[in-house]
Amino acid sequence: MPHATAPQFTTESLAAAVKSVAANCDTPTVVTLTAAGATVTGRAEAVPGAPLTADAAAATLAGMARLIGRHPGMFGADVAGYALILPGERVAFAADRTGTTHHIQLPGAPTEPLRSDRWGAICDGLTAMINAAR
């Protein structure tokens, strides 16, 4: 009986998927990343509550991790990771199933001040989300 193997995506394919979604974002956006072999695809997600803000992102991601933890069966093996796009800062962050976090620089000049003080908590939230989906 054959068994399924984990997707074998690259850092570059993950970053390309995030940048593809970011090209159409003008507000902070949570992205689900799915993989089929080496191909990664990103999908923007609606988050519960009010529109997502950069300041509320870490708390929102922690809440989403709790939701995923309560319903892990809803998240298939094709989920390769999660990302958060901060279009105003021209950065995105992702955490993937390999345990790697990614800092992705987006093209263009920032239109908002860079707030690196919240980036660690954002990465922690994304990591908690992918760990909950395992």
Side-chain angles (χ1 to χ4, degrees):
M1 171 182 217
H3 66 299
T5 59
Q8 301 300 314
F9 54 87
T10 64
T11 297
E12 293 79 13
S13 64
L14 185 137
V18 172
K19 287 178 180 181
S20 176
V21 174
N24 298 310
C25 295
D26 58 2
T27 61
T29 303
V30 175
V31 179
T32 297
L33 301 163
T34 55
T39 304
V40 179
T41 305
R43 178 183 71 237
E45 298 293 348
V47 296
L52 181 62
T53 65
D55 288 332
T60 299
L61 297 174
M64 291 179 74
R66 288 189 298 278
L67 176 68
I68 293 166
R70 287 192 299 268
H71 306 284
M74 293 173 51
F75 303 88
D78 64 334
V79 174
Y82 295 100
L84 177 73
I85 298 167
L86 297 175
E89 295 181 44
R90 305 311 303 154
V91 296
F93 303 93
D96 68 41
R97 282 195 183 270
T98 69
T100 304
T101 55
H102 308 265
H103 176 182
I104 303 162
Q105 186 67 46
L106 302 173
T111 58
E112 296 175 13
L114 298 179
R115 293 277 313 276
S116 59
D117 58 311
R118 60 183 168 210
W119 295 354
I122 287 169
C123 289
D124 290 346
L126 293 166
T127 300
M129 287 172 65
I130 193 60
N131 287 342
R134 292 183 189 194

